[in-house]
Amino acid sequence: MAAQVGHLKDIELQHQPQPSKVLFHLPATVTETPHREPFIQISPMPDNTVMGVGQDGLISVWTPDLKLKKSRSILDENKQQNRKIKWISDSILMPQYNKLIIGTCDREIRLYELSNFEPYCQIIGLETMPLHLGYSPRDADECVIYFGDEQGCVNIILVSNVAETLRNWTKSQLIDEIPSVNIDSIEEPGNVKYIRWKVHNDWVTQIRYVHSIESIISSSNDDYTALVIGCVEGTKNLQQRLRDLMDSSSTHGRRSMLGNAPPKRNISDESSFKVKRGVKTFDFCKENNILVTGGLDRIVRVWNSYVPGWPTGLLRGHASPITFLCIGDGNTKIYSVSTDCTVMVTELFV
């Protein structure tokens, strides 16, 4: 592994020193895991343990010193004969309500109890596969569950009276012995709003809701819609809303009718960042108004989120595509990881 230190003055890149080597004492400690398929997500738990979610539905829980505490398969149908194998596409924790949310390749979103990993309920009938999931609390007893899909769409489920709504979902019809609510009827009780925007020209590679700016940030491998920052519910302009309602034949904010393309946001409701070969990963810091992106061209770009026309800094040094970015250490460093297992650290001076 290697580390690189760059210098940014007033968010503008001034120079890039040569990378310096970081040594690790070997041999490293190797711990066997029960997983035989790739990890989808590794998440810290509320009790200070660490949870790993495998692509095949195997869950493992580890102590802080990486001792295996327990493991369990949450997709029991994998073990039954004459049933096709179900795969997990992504997962996210819902810690305020002690739930684990997973997306499956069968176009479902499932909720599990964190205490025992028993199925709680599921949302079925999704038009597309939830490639990347997200969850965030909003105001008191409100939350947003969202996902990006292979059609380049951003899907947003706004939930109010969350505890009551979740309990109501458990009273739905059982499918595969799990209470199931269909996405087409999810709005009927009145506590849920489902919104679907056509945003990208390629599948979504990452998605994030930022409560402080009430926006969804999403990325794709498409040059022209590499990264888009857009509002959640659309324009606040009354006349524009009326036009949207007429154009969508009273289906605005709900799943498109069969054969109709999902609606696009008004041009004033989103900002698009163009990047050659697209964006695979990004991070955003509201405090310093810094957006960083990375992807197939191996360059970390630093942006002012209000100026999508051009980046304020370019960080070169990775020899392979960038798959992970994080602004950390009190918003003073950028951590980037590429497919050749190289980690680079860039220091920010703003």
Side-chain angles (χ1 to χ4, degrees):
M1 292 186 179
Q4 176 172 323
V5 179
H7 295 272
L8 296 175
K9 304 283 189 179
D10 299 325
I11 318 295
E12 293 185 359
L13 185 64
Q14 300 297 319
H15 64 277
Q16 298 183 72
Q18 293 297 317
S20 58
K21 299 283 180 131
V22 177
L23 300 178
F24 291 87
H25 294 290
L26 297 176
T29 302
V30 177
T31 301
E32 290 290 332
T33 79
H35 294 267
R36 294 296 176 263
E37 298 293 340
F39 280 103
I40 292 297
Q41 194 68 256
I42 298 176
S43 306
M45 298 272 278
D47 61 357
N48 205 33
T49 58
V50 177
M51 181 183 66
V53 179
Q55 190 179 57
D56 58 353
L58 183 64
I59 304 289
S60 59
V61 179
W62 303 79
T63 63
D65 57 351
L66 296 184
K67 302 293 183 183
L68 181 62
K69 189 175 180 180
K70 61 181 177 180
S71 64
R72 176 182 174 179
S73 176
I74 61 173
L75 300 179
D76 293 333
E77 51 264 66
N78 289 357
K79 302 177 182 179
Q80 300 177 14
Q81 294 181 351
N82 303 320
R83 300 292 293 272
K84 65 180 181 180
I85 295 177
K86 192 185 295 289
W87 296 100
I88 292 179
S89 56
D90 199 8
S91 70
I92 193 75
L93 292 181
M94 194 179 188
Q96 291 86 351
Y97 300 94
N98 199 38
K99 300 291 185 292
L100 166 68
I101 308 175
I102 68 165
T104 78
C105 296
D106 287 349
R107 301 180 180 180
E108 306 161 337
I109 293 177
R110 286 190 175 185
L111 279 69
Y112 289 82
E113 291 283 5
L114 268 182
S115 55
N116 53 18
F117 297 117
E118 289 291 331
Y120 185 80
C121 64
Q122 64 180 349
I123 301 171
I124 62 172
L126 303 181
E127 188 169 339
T128 52
M129 183 173 65
L131 292 177
H132 298 280
L133 273 173
Y135 161 80
S136 176
R138 296 183 87 196
D139 298 326
D141 204 20
E142 293 184 3
C143 75
V144 54
I145 299 170
Y146 53 95
F147 63 93
D149 60 34
E150 75 270 20
Q151 292 185 3
C153 294
V154 168
N155 301 260
I156 306 162
I157 304 173
L158 300 174
V159 185
S160 58
N161 299 317
V162 181
E164 176 188 348
T165 301
L166 293 181
R167 284 194 296 269
N168 288 336
W169 286 355
T170 64
K171 301 173 185 176
S172 303
Q173 178 185 2
L174 295 179
I175 296 179
D176 292 334
E177 301 181 357
I178 303 176
S180 304
V181 56
N182 196 290
I183 192 67
D184 285 332
S185 58
I186 198 169
E187 294 181 308
E188 289 178 0
N191 289 331
V192 180
K193 185 173 184 179
Y194 175 50
I195 305 164
R196 187 168 189 241
W197 299 113
K198 173 63 176 177
V199 177
H200 301 281
N201 300 323
D202 200 340
W203 62 30
V204 175
T205 56
Q206 188 178 336
I207 188 169
R208 178 178 170 186
Y209 169 75
V210 183
H211 181 61
S212 58
I213 59 174
E214 283 292 320
S215 298
I216 291 278
I217 307 177
S218 55
S219 60
S220 77
N221 288 328
D222 175 63
D223 292 13
Y224 294 96
T225 58
L227 185 134
V228 177
I229 302 176
C231 64
V232 173
E233 298 187 64
T235 182
K236 303 301 182 184
N237 182 280
L238 180 58
Q239 291 183 348
Q240 182 62 43
R241 282 200 173 200
L242 290 173
R243 285 194 294 268
D244 289 341
L245 285 169
M246 294 176 64
D247 291 341
S248 60
S249 301
S250 301
T251 61
H252 179 69
R254 301 185 61 181
R255 179 177 173 175
S256 303
M257 296 178 65
L258 186 61
N260 290 347
K264 293 185 177 181
R265 295 188 187 101
N266 186 276
I267 192 171
S268 63
D269 289 336
E270 63 181 28
S271 297
S272 296
F273 296 72
K274 297 179 182 180
V275 178
K276 187 176 181 181
R277 305 182 71 185
V279 168
K280 278 197 169 297
T281 180
F282 65 84
D283 199 8
F284 174 69
C285 169
K286 176 63 171 64
E287 291 75 15
N288 294 333
N289 191 35
I290 295 174
L291 176 71
V292 292
T293 63
L296 294 174
D297 67 356
R298 303 168 294 177
I299 300 173
V300 176
R301 288 174 171 81
V302 182
W303 308 77
N304 180 322
S305 64
Y306 295 108
V307 186
W310 60 87
T312 56
L314 300 177
L315 302 174
R316 306 177 188 272
H318 280 287
S320 61
I322 299 165
T323 57
F324 176 80
L325 280 172
C326 177
I327 301 173
D329 285 355
N331 303 326
T332 63
K333 293 182 176 63
I334 300 173
Y335 295 87
S336 55
V337 183
S338 54
T339 55
D340 59 358
C341 300
T342 298
V343 178
M344 291 191 176
V345 183
T346 305
E347 189 168 357
L348 290 168
F349 294 95
V350 295

